Amino acid sequence: MKTNPTWLWDETVAINRDFGDRAVVAAYDERHRKFRDIDGENAAILARLDLRPDAAVGDFGCGTGAFARLAARRCATVYAIDLSAAMLDFVQWKAKEDGLDNVVCRQGGFLTYEHDGPPLDAIHSSLALHHLPDFWKQRALDRLAGWLKPGGKFHLMDVVFGTENVEANVEAWIAHTAAQGGAEVGDSIRAHVGKEFSTYDWILAGLLERAGFRIDSADAKGGVLANYYCTKA
Ligand SMILES: C[S@@+](CC[C@H](N)C(=O)[O-])C[C@H]1O[C@@H](n2cnc3c(N)ncnc32)[C@H](O)[C@@H]1O
């Protein structure tokens, strides 16, 4: 088995801080639904990925597994991968409740997960890659590309900044989310910008391309969120 370098980024810090607590996990969907149309997002992503019924798909940083469980209704196997055991327990419970037996929960980080299943037809990751600084984002994207079949699809959604009107965009985003979800949600967005590792669109595009992805489309929302649909070249 490959040993990790002694200088490996400690992915568990963010998990223990934000996603290790069962009560936080249980409340996650309700909190996010205040400012996100999670089901609409996932339906649009799945329509765009156009998965075959025999496809094997990975959902990286799957959280409560909303995407993984919807994808599992359309394809053969979904690997729901997350570093948080509390998140995965929730996914497993929900999948069982939904009568799904093709959601495979695997505990692992972007930098440490070892995929022992078949090469994947598609990978989806939303709101998770920003937990890594840019040096480590590249390592993570290289690893994700390695698990995909040639021609496989990668969809990435995350907080990504444009380079114009940055302050106005961030202020507008905080105000918008606070209006939708309350002051606490606005505060969490403020904390995200101040403390997490979301990067600029031109950096992320470069990282994706260097990992061997062709960017088929990149849609930016308000200069603060972006969806990248990519193909493994
Ligand atoms: C903000 S949540 C996003 C969950 C879900 N994808 C969504 O769109 O709602 C971030 C998720 O990424 C996971 N995560 C954070 N850092 C990670 C890492 N280095 N490797 C794998 N998962 C990670 C967290 O445990 C959490 O479930």
Side-chain angles (χ1 to χ4, degrees):
M1 204 171 79
K2 192 173 169 290
T3 50
N4 291 318
T6 51
W7 38 269
L8 188 75
W9 177 259
D10 184 358
E11 296 178 282
T12 60
V13 174
I15 304 303
N16 295 337
R17 188 188 57 221
D18 297 331
F19 304 108
D21 184 311
R22 275 165 205 279
V24 171
V25 168
Y28 178 92
D29 281 354
E30 196 186 332
R31 201 168 78 81
H32 273 239
R33 282 183 204 283
K34 288 181 182 167
F35 61 99
R36 285 171 74 189
D37 172 11
I38 297 179
D39 300 330
E41 276 170 25
N42 290 335
I45 296 160
L46 281 167
R48 180 75 195 262
L49 289 176
D50 195 21
L51 301 169
R52 290 165 38 130
D54 63 353
V57 177
D59 179 1
F60 228 100
C62 64
T64 53
F67 176 85
R69 286 180 286 115
L70 195 61
R73 297 181 188 281
R74 304 198 185 185
C75 63
T77 313
V78 180
Y79 292 86
I81 303 149
D82 203 288
L83 206 47
S84 161
M87 283 292 193
L88 291 176
D89 285 350
F90 185 90
V91 178
Q92 218 143 26
W93 169 68
K94 276 294 222 185
K96 196 166 172 207
E97 200 177 64
D98 292 356
L100 297 165
D101 60 4
N102 57 343
V103 178
V104 180
C105 290
R106 292 283 163 87
Q107 190 174 11
F110 283 110
L111 305 174
T112 52
Y113 173 70
E114 295 294 342
H115 185 63
D116 59 4
L120 299 170
D121 297 278
I123 296 179
H124 156 81
S125 184
S126 70
L127 298 178
L129 191 68
H130 68 262
H131 287 291
L132 300 176
D134 288 354
F135 173 82
W136 295 103
K137 285 191 187 79
Q138 183 73 75
R139 309 280 299 178
L141 291 170
D142 290 349
R143 300 183 90 239
L144 291 175
W147 299 319
L148 272 177
K149 287 180 182 168
K153 303 290 178 196
F154 177 46
H155 169 256
L156 176 68
M157 194 274 268
D158 213 335
V159 176
V160 180
F161 301 111
T163 42
E164 288 176 17
N165 305 318
V166 180
E167 284 188 26
N169 287 338
V170 170
E171 290 294 346
W173 186 35
I174 293 169
H176 180 66
T177 48
Q180 283 182 308
E184 185 246 343
V185 172
D187 287 346
S188 72
I189 301 294
R190 189 176 290 109
H192 179 113
V193 179
K195 296 188 181 146
E196 304 208 13
F197 301 108
S198 289
T199 194
Y200 286 105
D201 51 8
W202 62 272
I203 295 178
L204 200 47
L207 298 175
L208 285 164
E209 283 163 358
R210 279 165 186 77
F213 291 112
R214 181 183 75 226
I215 300 173
D216 299 315
S217 77
D219 335 315
K221 241 175 80 185
V224 292
L225 288 164
N227 279 282
Y228 294 90
Y229 287 91
C230 307
T231 303
K232 177 173 167 171

